[in-house]
């Protein structure tokens, strides 16, 4: 909320994209350390706001009853201090969500924050699927709401006693509860938001055209004059309008009894299908090596992606270029894997810096979404990186997501469930919660136990530090290191490091390759996976390398991105390298036999060699 003499700005505090609406909104005040809601009048107004909203929303929600091996920990922003808090084994009856409410001195001109929560869970596949699909549309367990203790509040049941200069608590409460229910934050909201407007069909019908958004993309433009406007005038009450309810319908809620808004569920936003490779193409592969011959390259200035194959040391386009996030023209990163276990390659995409980090997973078999655009990393806006591998040996790849520069070292690992992505594990890479340079990730079976291991490289601003975590440990909820952390290159470098892993020598062990990050020469170093396993505890940087060479022009100081994959299906991985320079997007496919002296040609894979941020390979 922005502080002016007559208006207070209303803000959104998203945590992590999880699904769930409700008929009954419960409030829990255990985190109200300052006693803001000890005032019965304030509690009564909050209850009134929740009841007014709940009376018009009737999506049936399954109960949440953890027990035995089925665990569930709700995570959210603590109203007392703004830090992440957790409530283990939260249980909820059917058709109910809970909101943790409290107050604290927010400062500035913000009157309040609201957002839906995330969760961590473990247990049976049925339990995890139930958590991910508690009800139709946008379904979650609840979230948190924080109000500023320094605001001049009016806590009356009607607007009759509201005076000039006072901020109406009811108006702020319904606005922030709207954010808890997904307005401005849910995947469905993101799916309909593009080019500065919200094009949900119900909202557009009420407004007469797509609804203009404010600069943050999470509120209406101030001129819309509805509850979701970012600023609240003092001395007036602003209740939920038909437009606000229509937006709830668009993101998947079931709305009833609102004049001008059709009763029932929203249409369930669905981005256009993506068909990266012609459906039925043999390039999509067959289990257990689905998609090994494919690589996705991104970097064009229109936010598009292109699938390539490789033969004879050259890339060849497979299928048409496409835009994974319609309306978004920023950096896109990708990974190829079989996420649903059907033996066909699927494609995952994520966004670069700018919007809240989103992930979309597309089926190679149908071109439709396995997981529609989903907010990850608590809505971090600095961009994300992806990797994929089968951690739990069930024939379905998990998806690892890490933050780019500005984010911490947390790596989130997701499983694909019928309702979308479900958080399966979280790793604080390097055990360092302070570093904010982000990280880059890769997944492959380094120790030859049948489970994909996680390789993490430090991001921009950090030394070229690398950590390797066992897939078996991750599947059991642990962060077990396969080898001690090590500096892949000169420890004085501060450009971070890109990592990849695959079997270059056909011995069954995935080998590690790493390269200079956002600056520095195009150096690549490769260390054998078998050598790592046979030398536990050794300093990896001191072990003899399979290769250590410059993959592109040694005078280039833009860094390189790398991908290890068996692109020609001969049982040995090739190395695909891509330049990090914005003005000269080039690539090279290097077979292991040419490590040290690559002779394959340089290519400019897109018609325009000028890119957003170099080329990314996945």
């Amino acid at each position: 909320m922005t502080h002016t003499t007559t208006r207070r700005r209303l803000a959104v505090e998203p945590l992590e994209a999880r699904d769930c609406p409700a008929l009954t909104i419960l409030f829990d005040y255990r985190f109200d350390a300052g006693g803001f809601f000890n005032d019965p009048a304030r509690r009564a107004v909050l209850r009134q706001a929740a009841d007014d909203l709940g009376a018009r929303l009737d999506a049936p929600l399954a109960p949440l009853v953890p027990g035995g091996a089925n665990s569930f920990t709700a995570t959210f922003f603590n109203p007392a201090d703004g830090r992440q808090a957790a409530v283990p084994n939260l249980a909820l009856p059917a058709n109910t969500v809970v909101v943790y409410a409290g107050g604290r001195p927010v400062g500035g001109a913000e009157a309040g924050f609201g957002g839906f929560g995330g969760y961590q869970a473990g247990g049976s596949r049925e339990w995890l699927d139930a958590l991910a699909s508690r009800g139709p549309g946008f379904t979650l367990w609840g979230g948190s709401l924080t109000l500023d203790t320094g605001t001049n509040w009016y806590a009356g049941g009607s607007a009759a006693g509201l005076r000039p200069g006072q901020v109406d608590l009811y108006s702020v409460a319904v606005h922030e509860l709207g954010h808890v229910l997904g307005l401005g934050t849910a995947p469905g909201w993101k799916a309909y938001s593009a080019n500065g407007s919200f094009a949900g069909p119900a909202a557009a019908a009420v407004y007469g055209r797509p609804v203009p958004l404010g600069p943050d993309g999470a509120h209406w433009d101030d001129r819309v004059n509805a509850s979701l406007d970012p600023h609240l005038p003092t001395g007036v009450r602003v209740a939920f309008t038909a437009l606000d309810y229509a937006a709830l319908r668009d993101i998947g809620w079931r709305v009833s009894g609102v004049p001008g808004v059709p009763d029932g569920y929203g249409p369930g936003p669905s981005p256009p299908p993506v068909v990266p490779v012609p459906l039925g193409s043999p390039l999509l592969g067959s289990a257990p090596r689905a998609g090994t011959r494919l690589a996705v390259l991104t970097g064009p200035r229109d936010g598009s992606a292109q699938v390539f194959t490789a033969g004879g040391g050259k890339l060849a386009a497979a299928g048409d270029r496409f835009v994974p996030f319609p309306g978004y023209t920023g950096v896109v990163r990708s990974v190829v894997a079989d996420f649903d276990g059907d033996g066909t390659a699927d494609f995952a995409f994520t966004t670069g810096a700018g919007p809240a980090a989103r992930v979309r997973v597309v089926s190679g078999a149908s071109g439709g979404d396995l997981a529609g655009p989903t907010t990850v990393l608590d809505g971090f806006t600095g961009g994300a990186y992806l990797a994929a591998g089968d951690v739990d040996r069930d024939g379905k790849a998990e998806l690892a997501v890490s933050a780019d520069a500005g984010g911490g070292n947390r790596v989130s690992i997701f499983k694909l469930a019928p309702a979308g992505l479900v958080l399966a594990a979280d790793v604080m890479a390097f055990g360092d919660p302070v570093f904010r340079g982000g990280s880059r990730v890769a997944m492959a079976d380094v120790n030859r136990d049948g489970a994909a291991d996680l390789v993490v490289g430090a991001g921009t601003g950090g030394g070229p530090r690398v950590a390797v975590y066992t897939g078996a440990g991750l599947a059991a909820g642990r962060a077990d290191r396969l080898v001690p952390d090590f500096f892949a290159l000169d420890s004085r470098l501060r450009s971070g490091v890109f990592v990849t892993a695959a079997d270059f020598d056909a011995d069954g062990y995935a080998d590690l390759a790493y390269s200079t990050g956002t600056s520095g020469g195009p150096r690549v170093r490769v260390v054998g996976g078998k050598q790592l396993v046979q030398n536990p505890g050794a300093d990896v940087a001191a072990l003899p390398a399979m290769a250590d060479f410059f993959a592109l022009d040694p005078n280039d100081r833009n860094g390189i991105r790398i991908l290890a994959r068996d692109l020609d299906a001969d049982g040995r991985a090739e190395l695909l390298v891509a330049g990090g320079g914005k003005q000269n997007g080039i690539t090279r496919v290097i077979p292991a036999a040419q490590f040290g002296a690559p002779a394959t040609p340089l290519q400019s894979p897109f018609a325009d060699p000028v890119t957003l941020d170099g080329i990314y390979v996945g």
Side-chain angles (χ1 to χ4, degrees):
M1 202 181 256
T2 298
H3 198 342
T4 67
T5 57
T6 59
R7 289 150 70 85
R8 297 298 297 274
R9 184 173 182 271
L10 303 175
V12 56
E13 188 174 41
L15 179 60
E16 194 173 322
R18 303 292 176 206
D19 295 275
C20 166
L23 283 172
T24 301
I25 301 174
L26 299 179
F27 290 102
D28 189 313
Y29 299 102
R30 75 180 75 177
F31 294 94
D32 187 23
F36 179 82
F37 282 106
N38 287 348
D39 181 349
R42 292 174 177 171
R43 290 198 182 196
V45 169
L46 196 58
R47 180 73 270 150
Q48 178 183 347
D51 289 346
D52 287 349
L53 289 177
R56 292 167 176 80
L57 304 173
D58 63 348
L61 305 178
L64 295 179
V65 186
N70 294 331
S71 64
F72 169 70
T73 296
T75 58
F76 52 92
F77 288 113
N78 188 335
D81 56 19
R83 300 177 181 177
Q84 183 168 299
V87 172
N89 289 327
L90 174 67
L92 288 174
N95 305 327
T96 302
V97 296
V98 62
V99 176
Y100 294 94
R104 72 173 187 272
V106 173
E110 307 296 339
F113 297 97
F116 58 89
Y119 65 81
Q120 299 174 350
S124 68
R125 175 54 42 210
E126 292 77 12
W127 168 247
L128 296 177
D129 290 348
L131 289 174
S133 56
R134 191 180 176 207
F138 179 63
T139 57
L140 69 158
W141 59 263
S144 65
L145 181 152
T146 303
L147 297 183
D148 175 44
T149 55
T151 292
N152 180 18
W153 292 106
Y154 169 73
S158 74
L162 183 56
R163 298 289 183 262
Q166 289 184 309
V167 177
D168 183 39
L169 194 150
Y170 176 91
S171 300
V172 175
V174 293
H175 175 105
E176 301 303 344
L177 287 173
H179 286 313
V180 171
L181 299 176
L183 292 183
T185 54
W189 177 275
K190 304 295 184 183
Y192 280 131
S193 299
N195 301 318
S197 63
F198 179 80
V206 171
Y207 194 71
R209 58 185 174 88
V211 188
L213 295 174
D216 66 356
H219 295 86
W220 304 137
D221 183 277
D222 258 324
R223 294 165 292 183
V224 171
N225 296 319
S227 177
L228 200 60
D229 288 3
H231 298 91
L232 172 69
T234 56
V236 300
R237 172 161 293 185
V238 179
F240 241 55
T241 68
L243 178 62
D244 302 307
Y245 280 111
L248 283 177
R249 190 184 196 280
D250 283 328
I251 67 173
W253 279 77
R254 184 170 170 177
V255 176
S256 61
V258 179
V261 181
D263 287 356
Y265 292 107
S270 178
V274 170
V275 186
V277 180
L279 298 181
S281 168
L283 294 174
L284 292 171
S286 58
R289 299 174 63 186
T292 57
R293 297 181 60 190
L294 302 175
V296 178
L297 273 61
T298 57
R301 291 175 290 175
D302 59 359
S304 66
Q306 172 72 66
V307 179
F308 288 86
T309 60
K314 292 184 179 181
L315 293 174
D320 298 326
R321 269 168 61 173
F322 54 93
V323 177
F325 300 99
Y328 168 73
T329 57
V331 168
V332 173
R333 301 179 182 117
S334 60
V335 69
V336 181
D338 181 6
F339 292 103
D340 57 2
D342 66 351
T344 301
D346 307 310
F347 304 86
F349 306 95
T350 190
T351 50
R358 287 177 286 167
V359 168
R360 182 183 181 189
V361 183
V362 175
S363 167
S366 70
D369 283 343
L370 295 174
T374 302
T375 302
V376 293
L377 301 177
D378 302 342
F380 172 65
T381 59
Y385 285 95
L386 301 177
D390 184 2
V391 168
D392 56 8
R393 307 182 182 97
D394 68 348
K396 302 176 183 179
E398 280 71 53
L399 181 69
V401 184
S402 67
D404 198 353
N409 289 324
R410 172 186 169 196
V411 179
S412 296
I413 298 176
F414 295 92
K415 286 195 70 67
L416 182 68
L421 296 174
V422 175
L423 185 66
D426 261 331
V427 175
M428 184 59 69
F430 314 122
D432 182 0
V434 177
F435 177 63
R436 308 306 297 175
S439 59
R440 294 82 178 255
V441 286
M443 298 181 80
D445 185 5
V446 178
N447 61 357
R448 201 180 179 184
D449 67 349
D453 307 306
L454 174 67
V455 185
V456 186
T460 305
R465 186 176 177 183
V466 174
V468 184
Y469 300 91
T470 69
L474 294 173
R478 305 187 307 271
D480 297 340
R481 284 173 166 83
L482 179 63
V483 295
D485 295 1
F486 62 96
F487 285 108
L489 303 167
D490 188 336
S491 62
R492 295 170 295 180
L493 293 174
R494 287 297 178 268
S495 60
V497 61
F498 283 96
V499 293
T500 189
D503 187 2
F504 292 114
D505 56 6
D507 66 354
Y509 296 85
D511 309 306
L512 267 61
Y514 30 87
S515 66
T516 46
T518 53
S519 61
R523 180 183 172 190
V524 176
R525 181 177 170 87
V526 184
V527 177
K530 184 176 182 179
Q531 190 173 41
L532 293 179
V533 173
Q534 292 180 346
N535 293 275
D539 180 2
V540 176
L543 292 175
M546 291 177 63
D548 192 341
F549 64 102
F550 287 100
L552 300 174
D553 182 352
N555 296 313
D556 188 327
R557 287 295 182 268
N558 292 300
I560 58 172
R561 293 78 186 255
I562 55 177
L563 173 69
R565 187 164 294 155
D566 185 6
L567 295 169
D568 59 6
D570 68 348
R572 297 173 182 263
E574 287 73 49
L575 187 67
L576 173 57
V577 302
K582 297 181 181 180
Q583 303 299 315
N584 188 26
I586 57 174
T587 61
R588 169 177 267 164
V589 179
I590 308 174
Q594 292 186 21
F595 285 176
T600 46
L602 298 176
Q603 290 182 263
S604 181
F606 302 108
D608 183 356
V610 180
T611 64
L612 286 165
D613 184 30
I615 292 178
Y616 289 93
V617 290

